[in-house]
Amino acid sequence: QPLRQDGVWKERAAAMRRLHGMLLGGAARLPQFAALLHTHMTEPLSLQLKDLRSRCVKLACEVINEAATALGQSFREMAIDLLPTLLRVLRGTVTVITEAADATIRRMLQAVRAEQLLPPVISGLGARDASPLLRERCCQYLELLLRSPSSSRVHEDEVDQIESTLLSVLSDASADVRTAARVAFGAFEGRWPARGNKMRERLPSST
């Protein structure tokens, strides 16, 4: 209940520390724990990620990190629900908050294999209304996803979206985005060689 209160941030922080302690103590091994965590904690943790206090965001990220580590593939549904919120956190300007969100996204992508994690990342790649940091990080997340076995189940229309979005970020105004995009393109080409070769033919020689 304290995590659902908008005002008393110290009580919310204490509740997250208790939940983190439960995970460290092995609660994830209990039957139905993953389902209960998803049902009762996805929304409250999402609210903490939107908090302006870096301490609340960092504590929420610590809980999510530990849950993803402890639950592995059983964290799948919660990861799918939390990823869009974590990506929105990367639009912020407070470094300590964006770094915490970035580390949490990477932990989830390493712990969970799910093709449903791909669409929010593709959307972030094309986010021209955000800072280059979001596009750069999404290039890095895309590489992780494309090197995962789950990418073999990507739908054809999503492959089309990846290709068109990669073409865009490969010519991004930000050098950091372009560098990350080239690495992601390498993963794309490795997964779909024929499409990668055709795509390479369309790229400027300077890319």
Side-chain angles (χ1 to χ4, degrees):
Q1 288 300 319
L3 283 181
R4 294 186 178 275
Q5 296 176 5
D6 292 331
V8 188
W9 73 270
K10 289 185 179 180
E11 290 187 12
R12 288 186 279 130
M16 284 188 284
R17 283 193 290 268
R18 288 196 295 272
L19 179 55
H20 190 239
M22 290 172 59
L23 287 162
L24 290 173
R29 294 194 294 270
L30 296 173
Q32 301 301 313
F33 180 82
L36 290 170
L37 188 72
H38 177 231
T39 300
H40 297 289
M41 295 307 302
T42 300
E43 181 186 354
L45 285 172
S46 294
L47 291 174
Q48 310 318 307
L49 291 172
K50 298 172 185 175
D51 198 288
L52 297 178
R53 297 177 184 87
S54 61
R55 185 57 181 156
C56 282
V57 177
K58 288 177 66 178
L59 280 169
C61 286
E62 288 173 9
V63 170
I64 296 167
N65 287 346
E66 189 59 38
T69 300
L71 292 168
Q73 193 63 17
S74 297
F75 192 70
R76 178 179 180 275
E77 298 302 324
M78 200 164 182
I80 291 168
D81 289 341
L82 287 172
L83 181 58
T85 302
L86 283 161
L87 289 171
R88 283 195 291 273
V89 174
L90 292 181
R91 291 174 173 267
T93 57
V94 180
T95 301
V96 67
I97 289 178
T98 58
E99 287 182 347
D102 173 56
T104 299
I105 292 170
R106 292 176 190 276
R107 180 82 283 272
M108 290 199 318
L109 297 183
Q110 291 166 354
V112 174
R113 295 174 181 175
E115 61 270 25
Q116 292 91 338
L117 295 171
L118 191 55
V121 172
I122 297 173
S123 178
L125 277 176
R128 295 293 175 175
D129 60 331
S131 71
L133 175 65
L134 177 61
R135 298 193 299 280
E136 177 189 353
R137 295 284 169 81
C138 282
C139 286
Q140 295 166 355
Y141 306 149
L142 178 63
E143 184 212 354
L144 288 173
L145 287 167
L146 291 182
R147 296 193 188 283
S148 165
S150 63
S151 67
S152 62
R153 298 189 296 273
V154 177
H155 299 299
E156 188 70 19
D157 59 341
E158 288 178 331
V159 180
D160 292 339
Q161 291 176 20
I162 296 171
E163 182 176 335
S164 62
T165 310
L166 269 179
L167 283 169
S168 175
V169 290
L170 282 165
S171 58
D172 197 277
S174 166
D176 290 336
V177 175
R178 294 195 303 273
T179 298
R182 285 193 288 270
V183 177
F185 171 70
F188 178 90
E189 192 174 32
R191 177 60 69 180
W192 299 287
R195 294 191 67 145
N197 288 336
K198 289 182 179 179
M199 186 175 168
R200 187 180 288 276
E201 293 173 359
R202 297 167 59 190
L203 295 173
S205 58
S206 59
T207 302

